[in-house]
């Protein structure tokens, strides 16, 4: 019933309903004839959205046939799974993702540029054609095979963006291995944890990385990590710099092997539902979880959203500046753009290197048409003033995109007016590692429909958002807020958490049976648009990077003199959120400052530098309920300075703790401002 109501709402929001019929049929035909991005037909958004909500299996089946190249066709488009709300897609179909991303384009236009590697060193971009990328991928795939990597094996990729990193992902896809890209900013311990959890047989890395003019010791970190990873048989080491690094027995010089390898590699024919990759992300409890995406559904969803959310046209240069260590890099640097035969930019540098004009200099030099970035970078650049932007010609830009965290109005306006000169479409895109691709974004929409600043607004085709109240009931009507759920499955959604399907079910499908629960809250406006209001759990978002506060607490718990901690997110001007830690020390600890420094080092080495709390406040005790639960809500009130409005504190074990913490906070503030 609730699902029917949710669908009905999507259809109502599309009113006046567009008559299905010729338009839709023509659209489908066009897309299957071309087998590549075509234009959405007039009125198409409404018609497609309507069909996708009413008949998801039929809608996606048609698109999957037209958009992807299959070795053998699927017999069942969508098979609902258990628990309700899950599904498997395109059953019986076989295909190879690398063939879809490479071979099919090489046949038609081998010399089209697939990747532009904007290296850290300004003005040294490297162009890689589809033919060259296929060559690299095949050689890399053959090298992996030579060292025993087979279909189903797991391979960790610990590399910043580069053509070889993309080729590594595609090489895995070619031979049916499963990649697990680990962001190259993660510590050895984080890398090791991920390798052990997924049982990776090999790591692919660089000798060193280069970012913002600084060297990053990637190989050294891998060495440290694999000491504790018995599953690792080989480490493939590519050369990003000329510096020599220590090579051990299981280390293999990658390029050297690739020159010896054959440049042709027969693609493995994969089942639609075989694993394509896993990517670790943080939850509100426990260790990071390996989110699993499969072949066909993921690829189709990434490609389709890339095409329609950004209005990608053949020949455009697509500039998503995310790292491949995050889902944004997977879907909108690699799989979506390459499946669509696009030219995709790989941005290795930082927004401030060598100066705050870097993004816009790159836009001018590479003639970027779609520019997709995180609000944190926009907020940072905004502080340096408009001159850095205006210095460069941005007339190539057509679409701007924002991703990963809420974008505040000021940043949105600056991005729109200053960067986009008020003439580009700016889309705030909401999605998650688990959703595979963009789920809520202003485009596509009815032609010329307005975009409300700083709002994700509209569900993509086939996404049926619902808001839930505290009792697990669907909230009807507009101008309402609730927990954001999605009422029916879509092809891009995650299939499981690697090695822990029960956790997958518990985290995403238990709170609201039959619905995918996102962990975010949202507000549905009077017009029926969606505005994301932020996480409803203990997940925080630092510079667009997701982290569980529990992870930081667990790391700090390793300090022998720190029996207890509580970490919360607090609003940060540039980073969006920062981590604020409350810590309790053992009574006899004298060197408080030393302990604080040690805590920071522990967090950096156990997780990553970006996870280090900005503030560490020592308190005598934490606010706890009588049943022993830490009341984080109170701590949030303290640091956001809303202590006049503490809410209900009657369940506190000892209410006097509130004043104690407030006093400590006041002192800390006075000390840090003096
Ligand atoms: C979480 C997902 C989306 C890919 C990169 C991050 C937050 C994401 C938005 C947005 C407000 C957003 C949510 C979400 N988030 N996009 N446009 N507006 N919040 O993927 O690391 O899996 O994080 O990022 O809280 O749940 P992720």
């Amino acid at each position: 019933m609730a699902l029917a109501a949710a669908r009905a709402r999507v259809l109502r929001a599309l009113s006046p309903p567009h008559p299905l019929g010729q338009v839709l049929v023509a659209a489908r035909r066009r897309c299957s004839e071309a087998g590549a991005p075509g234009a959405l037909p007039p009125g198409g958004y409404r018609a497609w959205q309507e069909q996708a909500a009413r008949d998801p299996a039929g809608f996606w089946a048609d698109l999957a046939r037209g958009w992807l190249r299959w070795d053998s066709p699927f017999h069942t488009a969508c098979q609902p799974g258990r628990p309700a709300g899950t599904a498997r897609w395109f059953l019986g179909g076989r295909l190879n993702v690398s063939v879809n991303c490479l071979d099919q384009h090489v046949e038609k236009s081998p010399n089209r540029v697939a990747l532009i590697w904007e290296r850290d060193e300004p003005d040294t971009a490297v162009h890689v054609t589809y033919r060259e990328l296929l060559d690299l991928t095949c050689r890399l795939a053959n090298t992996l095979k030579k060292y025993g990597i087979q279909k189903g094996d797991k391979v960790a990729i610990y590399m910043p963006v580069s053509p070889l990193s993309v080729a590594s992902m595609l090489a895995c896809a070619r031979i049916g291995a499963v990649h697990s890209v680990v962001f190259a900013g993660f510590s050895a311990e984080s890398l090791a944890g991920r390798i052990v959890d997924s049982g990776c047989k090999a790591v692919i890395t660089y000798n060193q990385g280069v970012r913002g003019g600084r060297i990053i010791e990637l190989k050294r970190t891998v060495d440290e990590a694999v000491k504790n990873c018995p599953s690792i048989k080989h480490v493939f080491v590519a050369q990003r710099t000329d510096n020599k690094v220590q090579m051990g027995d299981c280390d293999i010089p990658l390029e050297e092997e690739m020159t010896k390898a054959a440049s042709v590699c027969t693609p493995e024919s994969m089942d639609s539902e075989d694993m394509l990759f896993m990517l670790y992300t943080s939850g509100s409890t426990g260790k990071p979880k390996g989110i699993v995406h499969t072949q066909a559904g993921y690829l189709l969803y990434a490609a389709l959203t890339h095409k329609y959310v950004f209005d990608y046209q053949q020949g455009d240069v697509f500039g998503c500046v995310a790292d491949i260590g995050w889902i944004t890099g997977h879907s909108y640097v690699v799989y979506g753009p390459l499946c669509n035969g696009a030219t995709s930019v790989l941005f290795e540098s930082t927004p401030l290197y060598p100066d705050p004009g870097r993004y816009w200099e790159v836009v001018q030099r590479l003639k970027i048409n779609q520019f997709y970035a995180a609000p944190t970078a926009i907020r940072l650049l905004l502080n340096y003033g408009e001159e850095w932007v205006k210095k460069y010609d941005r007339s190539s830009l057509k679409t701007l995109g924002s991703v990963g965290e809420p974008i505040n109005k000021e940043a949105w306006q600056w991005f729109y007016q200053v960067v986009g000169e008020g003439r580009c479409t700016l889309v705030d895109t909401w999605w998650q590692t688990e959703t595979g691709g963009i789920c809520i974004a202003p485009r596509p929409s009815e032609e010329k429909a307005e975009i409300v600043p700083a709002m994700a607004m509209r569900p993509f085709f086939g996404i049926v958002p619902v808001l839930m109240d505290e009792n697990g009931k669907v909230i009807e009507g507009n101008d309402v807020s609730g927990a954001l759920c999605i009422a029916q499955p879509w092809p891009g959604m995650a299939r499981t958490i690697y090695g822990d399907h029960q956790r997958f079910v518990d985290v995403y499908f238990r709170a609201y049976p039959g619905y995918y629960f996102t962990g975010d809250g949202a507000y549905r406006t009077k017009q029926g648009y969606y505005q994301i209001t932020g996480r409803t759990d203990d997940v925080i978002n630092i510079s667009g990077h997701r982290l569980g506060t529990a992870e930081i607490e667990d790391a700090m718990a390793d300090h022998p003199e720190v029996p207890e901690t509580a970490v919360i997110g607090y609003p940060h001007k540039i980073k969006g959120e920062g981590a604020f830690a409350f810590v309790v020390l053992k009574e006899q600890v004298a060197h408080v400052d030393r302990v604080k420094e040690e805590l920071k080092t522990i967090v950096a080495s156990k997780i990553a530098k970006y996870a280090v709390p900005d503030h560490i406040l020592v308190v005598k005790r934490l606010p706890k309920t009588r049943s022993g639960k830490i009341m984080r809500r109170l701590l949030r009130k303290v640091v956001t300075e809303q202590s006049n409005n503490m809410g209900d504190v009657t369940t506190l074990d000892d209410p006097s703790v509130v004043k104690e913490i407030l006093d400590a906070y006041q002192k800390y503030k006075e000390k840090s401002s003096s």
Side-chain angles (χ1 to χ4, degrees):
M1 266 322 282
L3 176 59
R7 281 182 180 149
R9 198 179 34 257
V10 168
L11 301 185
R12 266 202 310 280
L14 294 166
S15 63
H18 193 282
L20 280 177
Q22 287 316 309
V23 172
L24 188 61
V25 173
R28 273 190 254 150
R29 194 174 309 126
R30 183 159 0 161
C31 114
S32 54
E33 277 163 11
L40 203 61
Y45 167 74
R46 284 160 190 265
W48 284 31
Q49 177 63 299
E50 191 174 303
Q51 200 214 353
R54 200 167 38 79
D55 171 24
F59 174 82
W60 291 112
D62 285 345
L63 281 164
R65 281 189 206 104
W67 219 269
L68 302 181
R69 176 182 289 193
W70 295 89
D71 297 337
S72 38
F74 53 89
H75 52 71
T76 305
C78 177
Q79 188 178 69
R82 260 207 211 119
T86 62
R88 288 151 55 81
W89 292 84
F90 313 122
L91 301 184
R94 301 193 80 84
L95 82 176
N96 183 282
V97 166
S98 80
V99 168
N100 277 273
C101 290
L102 299 172
D103 305 56
Q104 65 158 341
H105 309 307
V106 173
E107 285 161 20
K108 282 185 241 146
S109 23
N111 296 325
R112 186 188 296 163
V113 174
L115 305 174
I116 306 179
W117 184 23
E118 175 62 19
R119 300 163 80 241
D120 191 54
E121 303 85 343
D123 206 6
T124 62
V126 173
H127 289 59
V128 180
T129 66
Y130 272 92
R131 195 211 315 260
E132 290 164 340
L133 186 57
L134 177 61
D135 181 285
L136 284 175
T137 300
C138 287
R139 287 173 188 277
L140 221 156
N142 285 328
T143 305
L144 294 178
K145 280 215 271 197
K146 176 175 165 190
Y147 287 94
I149 306 295
Q150 294 172 352
K151 182 174 171 179
D153 285 344
K154 319 291 182 300
V155 176
I157 299 177
Y158 189 70
M159 301 164 115
V161 283
S162 75
L164 266 188
S165 327
V166 176
S168 299
M169 295 164 75
L170 294 170
C172 289
R174 194 152 192 97
I175 65 174
V178 177
H179 60 70
S180 165
V181 182
V182 179
F183 173 57
F186 276 121
S187 67
E189 198 165 328
S190 291
L191 173 60
R194 285 155 171 78
I195 289 174
V196 169
D197 185 74
S198 53
C200 286
K201 263 179 126 171
V203 189
I204 312 178
T205 190
Y206 272 110
N207 63 336
Q208 294 178 317
V210 186
R211 195 154 183 269
R214 280 203 290 267
I215 297 283
I216 308 162
E217 298 292 350
L218 298 174
K219 170 68 163 55
R220 198 182 293 164
T221 307
V222 172
D223 285 347
E224 214 181 304
V226 299
K227 273 191 227 150
N228 305 313
C229 302
S231 61
I232 294 292
K233 302 284 177 282
H234 297 290
V235 177
F236 298 92
V237 187
Q239 294 286 127
R240 172 61 181 87
T241 64
D242 293 332
N243 302 326
K244 288 261 172 307
V245 292
Q246 183 97 38
M247 294 290 275
D249 286 346
C250 68
D251 299 338
I252 293 155
L254 185 62
E255 290 96 334
E256 223 176 285
E257 286 290 328
M258 283 172 66
T259 10
K260 290 188 245 163
S263 61
V264 176
C265 173
T266 310
E268 194 71 41
S269 195
M270 304 297 287
D271 189 281
S272 296
E273 284 291 335
D274 280 336
M275 253 169 98
L276 175 62
F277 65 84
M278 65 182 103
L279 184 60
Y280 284 82
T281 190
S282 298
S284 50
T285 55
K287 286 186 307 172
K289 44 201 179 188
I291 299 295
V292 171
H293 284 287
T294 55
Q295 314 267 330
Y298 168 79
L299 185 65
L300 177 65
Y301 197 73
L304 218 71
T305 45
H306 167 254
K307 163 69 189 160
Y308 288 116
V309 172
F310 300 100
D311 191 23
Y312 183 84
Q313 301 295 328
Q314 204 67 79
D316 284 349
V317 176
F318 189 78
C320 167
V321 291
D323 190 275
I324 52 157
W326 312 108
I327 190 71
T328 310
H330 283 59
S331 300
Y332 301 110
V333 174
V334 183
Y335 290 112
L338 295 183
C339 185
N340 290 337
T343 297
S344 182
V345 173
L346 311 175
F347 185 74
E348 190 187 32
S349 195
T350 81
L352 296 182
Y353 184 74
D355 59 49
R358 181 64 184 265
Y359 275 171
W360 325 118
E361 187 270 324
V362 174
V363 165
Q364 169 181 293
R365 182 157 40 81
L366 305 183
K367 299 198 171 42
I368 289 175
N369 302 107
Q370 288 86 15
F371 184 78
Y372 194 28
T376 186
I378 302 302
R379 285 191 295 265
L380 178 71
L381 294 176
L382 178 158
N383 288 323
Y384 289 89
E386 301 182 3
E387 312 79 71
W388 287 108
V389 187
K390 295 196 163 150
K391 229 172 122 175
Y392 301 101
D393 175 16
R394 283 115 47 231
S395 57
S396 59
L397 289 174
K398 296 189 286 189
T399 308
L400 304 172
S402 166
V403 61
E405 43 167 333
I407 181 163
N408 50 312
K409 289 223 170 74
E410 188 193 4
W412 194 97
Q413 287 298 350
W414 191 83
F415 202 11
Y416 181 73
Q417 298 292 355
V418 179
V419 176
E421 302 171 310
R423 62 173 179 79
C424 298
T425 302
L426 170 48
V427 289
D428 176 16
T429 62
W430 175 88
W431 58 296
Q432 312 174 297
T433 306
E434 295 87 339
T435 68
I438 295 164
C439 287
I440 307 185
R443 292 285 186 269
S445 74
E446 313 84 90
E447 217 176 315
K448 299 211 172 69
E450 58 156 356
I451 291 184
V452 183
M455 205 188 283
M457 296 180 77
R458 301 182 174 88
F460 191 71
F461 306 134
I463 300 297
V464 180
V466 290
L467 301 179
M468 297 287 185
D469 68 15
E470 281 138 26
N471 307 316
K473 288 248 158 20
V474 173
I475 307 171
E476 296 290 345
N478 289 342
D479 194 14
V480 289
S481 297
L484 178 64
C485 293
I486 302 178
Q488 71 184 19
W490 65 103
M493 75 192 301
R495 300 297 192 264
T496 190
I497 291 173
Y498 186 73
D500 199 350
H501 192 66
Q502 192 56 46
R503 186 174 177 197
F504 180 73
V505 173
D506 290 347
V507 172
Y508 304 109
F509 296 95
R510 187 170 297 279
Y512 307 96
Y515 297 85
Y516 168 77
F517 173 47
T518 64
D520 282 307
Y523 164 64
R524 189 160 55 232
T525 68
K526 292 195 176 95
Q527 293 77 28
Y529 297 140
Y530 289 87
Q531 170 142 49
I532 309 303
T533 49
R535 300 290 304 195
T536 58
D537 52 14
D538 290 319
V539 168
I540 60 176
N541 194 319
I542 304 180
S543 307
H545 302 333
R546 183 166 152 183
L547 260 180
T549 50
E551 274 175 81
I552 307 178
E553 292 168 5
D554 287 351
M556 294 196 298
D558 265 25
H559 196 294
E561 285 162 311
V562 182
E564 244 187 341
T565 68
V567 173
I568 54 161
Y570 75 100
H572 186 285
K573 247 185 108 128
I574 306 287
K575 298 196 280 190
E577 271 185 300
F580 196 117
F582 291 82
V583 305
V584 177
L585 304 186
K586 284 193 177 155
E587 263 169 37
Q588 64 277 27
V589 172
H591 308 287
V592 174
D593 288 335
R594 192 203 70 213
V595 173
K596 282 187 183 182
E597 284 315 306
E598 285 165 356
L599 284 172
K600 290 182 182 175
T601 312
I602 289 179
V603 175
S605 73
K606 287 187 82 83
I607 309 176
K609 281 208 187 90
Y610 75 85
V612 173
D614 302 313
H615 299 283
I616 299 180
L617 174 59
V618 176
V619 289
K620 281 208 208 89
R621 54 197 172 134
L622 297 169
K624 286 191 189 163
T625 63
R626 276 186 288 275
S627 58
K629 270 186 83 174
I630 297 171
M631 243 198 209
R632 286 153 207 285
R633 169 171 72 76
L634 275 183
L635 299 174
R636 262 179 235 121
K637 294 270 184 194
V638 171
V639 299
T640 52
E641 303 189 1
Q642 299 172 38
S643 51
N644 50 349
N645 174 24
M646 283 293 194
D648 182 12
V649 293
T650 51
T651 54
L652 272 180
D653 182 35
D654 176 4
S656 71
V657 69
V658 177
K659 177 155 189 322
E660 210 177 280
I661 290 179
L662 271 171
D663 287 348
Y665 177 76
Q666 276 312 329
K667 270 203 205 113
Y668 173 81
K669 246 187 66 186
E670 279 156 25
K671 204 175 135 202
S672 32
S673 60
S674 65

